Amino acid sequence: AAACAAGAAGTVRGQSGQKRGRLLPQPAAGKNQPRPRQGPDLSAQEAIVGYQGDTAGDPAPIRFVKRGTEPSPGEVFEFQSSEITREYTAAPIAKRTRLKFNWVAQTEGGRFTRDPDKMTPFVRGEGQIGFWTCDICGKMCCEQLFIFRAYLRQEFVQELNGRRLDPFIAYMSWRCGRGLLGHLTESAKFKEEVFSLASHDLSVDEVRAQLQEALSRGGREDRLNLIEELERLAGLGPGAAKKTLEMTAVERLVASGPGSAVLLHTAEDAFRAVARSLAPRVGARLLAMGAAFVAQADRATGGGVGAAAL
């Protein structure tokens, strides 16, 4: 119980340094409701922070250890709760299927992570009925549990294209959950941090400060990995993302409907080319957003200036 409490406290402390501030535990279910066991249909690409694609290598498989030992990251007890034994013997968290999956924990914004420091804690809701135990050790070791989802490992998938999260929702204590997430390398942590920077609305100064802090913790190889991930998210190089996050964010800001602008993505699009000449004062996102809004306003008033001219 002490280990569980310490782990949960560490998780909340880990969130306190983020822009959104300290994350408080949320109730897992409402009054007179059991904790949910079915989650929404989500692709791994969209749901997992820092997911590198279906063809990228999987994390190292987790290993079973006997009860009575202290599991390290990547190790879990060869055990399951009485609830899983009675009601969910075919679920991913069951002993006989657990090793076939990669596991991720729910984090801020309803996304999923492999970083135990970013897990979002959940508490038993007021008036909630049913079990409130860890699905692995079977103990009610603390008031807080963590929501986990899984997706099949490559060797158990016939077609890798478009892997999706299994709908089953598992509930973990901090100790068992940390083991289930596996060993996360510093390079993997860097990539999650870079993705978070790109997907949050941060100022240039905030992004610069967080990048400098991340770079100061790693060696030469970690810095190269971080630069590689930045280039991927920027749409440069062979591993480039299909569409950059900043371009997607601009498209969401432009009203949908007939005639609405869809931004074309290439490494040398006009917005990036102009933004490079104006940097660091004007970024590609602000430039594209301004051009899109001006073009929309121009069309609404019947003017003759189009987005191409801008």
Side-chain angles (χ1 to χ4, degrees), residues 163-299:
R163 279 195 286 184
R164 309 192 74 79
L165 298 188
D166 188 276
F168 183 80
I169 297 176
Y171 293 85
M172 299 291 119
S173 65
W174 179 84
R175 181 172 68 168
C176 293
R178 182 191 64 167
L180 203 58
L181 290 175
H183 177 68
L184 191 64
T185 64
E186 285 299 318
S187 296
K189 286 186 178 181
F190 277 149
K191 290 182 178 181
E192 284 209 11
E193 288 180 12
V194 173
F195 190 95
S196 297
L197 292 178
S199 57
H200 287 164
D201 188 16
L202 302 176
S203 69
V204 173
D205 289 338
E206 288 173 318
V207 171
R208 183 182 294 113
Q210 291 192 33
L211 281 176
Q212 288 176 344
E213 196 274 333
L215 286 168
S216 67
R217 297 200 313 268
R220 180 177 180 277
E221 183 177 352
D222 293 324
R223 293 189 185 97
L224 290 176
N225 288 330
L226 182 57
I227 292 171
E228 177 185 343
E229 181 66 2
L230 284 169
E231 290 178 343
R232 189 187 73 82
L233 291 173
L236 303 173
K242 292 182 179 179
K243 179 172 287 186
T244 62
L245 290 171
E246 65 177 10
M247 293 296 112
T248 302
V250 172
E251 287 179 353
R252 286 199 300 265
L253 291 173
V254 178
S256 60
S260 60
V262 175
L263 303 176
L264 299 177
H265 171 265
T266 65
E268 295 296 332
D269 63 61
F271 298 117
R272 291 182 179 280
V274 176
R276 279 194 294 273
S277 67
L278 298 176
R281 293 294 182 182
V282 178
R285 176 180 175 177
L286 291 177
L287 186 65
M289 181 168 55
F293 278 122
V294 170
Q296 271 197 330
D298 185 68
R299 283 197 300 269

Side-chain angles (χ1 to χ4, degrees), residues 5 13 43 59 95-96 99 126 142 154 165 177 181 206 210 256 284 300-302 307:
R13 285 198 300 272
S43 72
K95 284 192 301 182
R96 66 188 182 92
L99 302 185
E126 183 180 357
C142 62
Q154 290 179 352
L165 298 188
L181 290 175
E206 288 173 318
Q210 291 192 33
S256 60
T301 58

